[in-house]
Amino acid sequence: MAKKDNQQVCFRTSIGGQALMEGILMRGPEKQAIVCRTENGIVEKVEELSFVKDKHPVLGWPFVRGVFTLVDSLAKGMKALTYSASLLPEDQQEEPTKFDLWLEKRLGSEKAEKIVIGSAAVLGVLLALALFIFLPTFIAGLIPGLEGRYTLRSLVEGVIKLAIFLGYLGLVARMKEIKRLFSYHGAEHKTIFCYEKGLPLTVENVRPQSRFHPRCGTSFLLVVIILGLLAGLLIQADNTLLRIALRLLLLPVIIALAYELNRWAGRHDTNIVSRVVTWPGKQLQRLTTAEPDDGMIECAIRAMELVIPEEKGKDAW
């Protein structure tokens, strides 16, 4: 079935998206759109995009752009997620902390929001490093019999990292709010597939599309973990702190490689090698996407419509 779907694709778009709280973010080559469903109806927010590579072209070069694209996507995604959360009914919103209120009083709401979002992004990155670099390396260091057996230790660290990743996704997928988030994620993928096939963007056309897309961010994270496992084989050290330091040094290289690999695989998704590369990520999307309802699909369609460039083909992958 996947093969048949891929053969029907007219072109591959660079437009990508992100699931939000009761909404969708779609990002095109010129602007991004947030479309959320609220108690008072649909709320739309469209923003013109600026890219750091436009001011500094070197940051758009292959094997350089991956890290900066990831940082930029994280920042924009965190801001959009915070905005969508602010649209939820008051009884579903978290109460601001004393620190939040103090910041807002001292700096104003706009500056305070930027600091809170930035702090949340930094904490998120630190948590990811703790879970997927510090913890696996530390646990493997406690296992007897791995001293001097660098290849085996790297494999053990990789297995622990993968187990933490899958376990984390499995746990959060059980949460009610996250289940809805994953359904919006499915709506995003289905809408992109519908657009790439050149079909009119209607609920009826979007609904039967696959929710497993080869250019998903979830797949990117899995590629990072797998490449990290392979890169770990190069580390010839027993000291846990030294291994952590070396893994941190290798991380930008791994992210750069994963980004380029995902770009290549997404562009050549009918290629047998590409199918092999993207297959694990598509299987992982069974956890991170779910079938959406019609209202979710409508949000995704509207967000897509708002970012499609007027110049045909400008968003080609």
Side-chain angles (χ1 to χ4, degrees):
M1 184 67 178
K3 182 177 180 180
K4 182 178 179 182
D5 285 345
N6 284 333
Q7 288 177 334
Q8 294 174 346
V9 169
C10 295
F11 84 113
R12 295 165 184 82
T13 181
S14 62
I15 295 175
Q18 175 184 326
L20 304 175
M21 303 300 293
E22 296 301 325
I24 293 282
L25 162 71
M26 286 287 188
R27 187 176 297 124
E30 300 170 327
K31 52 191 174 181
Q32 71 173 25
I34 297 172
V35 178
C36 294
R37 187 172 294 278
T38 72
E39 291 179 316
N40 300 318
I42 296 292
V43 172
E44 301 176 0
K45 182 180 181 181
V46 181
E47 298 174 312
E48 296 294 326
L49 288 175
S50 60
F51 301 97
V52 68
K53 66 180 181 180
D54 295 334
K55 293 183 178 179
H56 308 284
V58 66
L59 300 184
W61 291 3
F63 299 103
V64 174
R65 58 193 173 189
V67 174
F68 294 96
T69 299
L70 177 62
V71 171
D72 183 61
S73 296
L74 283 174
K76 287 184 171 67
M78 182 66 70
K79 185 177 180 181
L81 194 59
T82 301
Y83 173 75
S84 69
S86 72
L87 298 176
L88 293 173
E90 288 189 8
D91 60 341
Q92 295 182 31
Q93 295 185 31
E94 292 185 5
E95 290 292 328
T97 65
K98 291 182 179 180
F99 179 68
D100 293 336
L101 295 173
W102 180 83
L103 272 181
E104 186 172 346
K105 184 178 179 180
R106 285 298 186 91
L107 304 175
S109 58
E110 187 174 341
K111 287 185 178 180
E113 182 184 5
K114 289 181 179 180
I115 291 176
V116 170
I117 292 173
S119 299
V122 170
L123 289 174
V125 171
L126 291 177
L127 178 61
L129 293 176
L131 284 176
F132 301 117
I133 291 184
F134 301 156
L135 187 59
T137 308
F138 177 75
I139 293 174
L142 299 178
I143 299 175
L146 294 182
E147 294 83 0
R149 304 174 71 179
Y150 306 127
T151 298
L152 180 59
R153 177 164 177 176
S154 293
L155 291 174
V156 170
E157 290 172 357
V159 169
I160 294 172
K161 187 185 302 182
L162 191 58
I164 291 173
F165 183 55
L166 295 177
Y168 172 78
L169 288 180
L171 287 173
V172 299
R174 296 173 178 270
M175 299 169 62
K176 180 181 177 181
E177 295 82 0
I178 301 301
K179 283 183 179 180
R180 289 192 61 80
L181 193 75
F182 286 172
S183 292
Y184 274 104
H185 192 190
E188 172 220 328
H189 285 185
K190 286 172 173 282
T191 302
I192 291 174
F193 263 131
C194 184
Y195 173 63
E196 289 183 321
K197 291 178 180 179
L199 299 173
L201 292 175
T202 64
V203 172
E204 292 71 25
N205 286 338
V206 169
R207 191 186 300 114
Q209 305 304 322
S210 172
R211 69 178 201 266
F212 310 128
H213 202 284
R215 296 188 295 281
C216 176
T218 307
S219 301
F220 170 77
L221 292 177
L222 185 59
V223 171
V224 168
I225 290 176
I226 293 173
L227 289 179
L229 190 156
L230 297 175
L233 300 177
L234 302 174
I235 299 176
Q236 305 289 299
D238 282 319
N239 184 276
T240 296
L241 291 178
L242 179 57
R243 292 184 68 87
I244 289 174
L246 291 172
R247 285 193 174 278
L248 289 174
L249 287 174
L250 286 170
L251 186 58
V253 178
I254 293 168
I255 290 173
L257 289 173
Y259 180 80
E260 298 304 327
L261 184 60
N262 260 32
R263 280 184 64 91
W264 176 85
R267 187 173 294 167
H268 303 87
D269 56 1
T270 57
N271 182 295
I272 184 64
V273 177
S274 176
R275 288 183 198 165
V276 171
V277 170
T278 58
W279 184 86
K282 288 181 179 179
Q283 302 314 304
L284 186 61
Q285 289 172 46
R286 296 182 184 278
L287 279 177
T288 63
T289 65
E291 288 298 326
D293 60 34
D294 288 356
M296 296 172 179
I297 293 175
E298 288 170 356
C299 283
I301 289 174
R302 183 55 184 155
M304 172 66 81
E305 290 173 340
L306 290 170
V307 301
I308 295 174
E310 293 183 7
E311 181 183 337
K312 188 174 181 180
K314 190 172 184 179
D315 60 313
W317 182 260

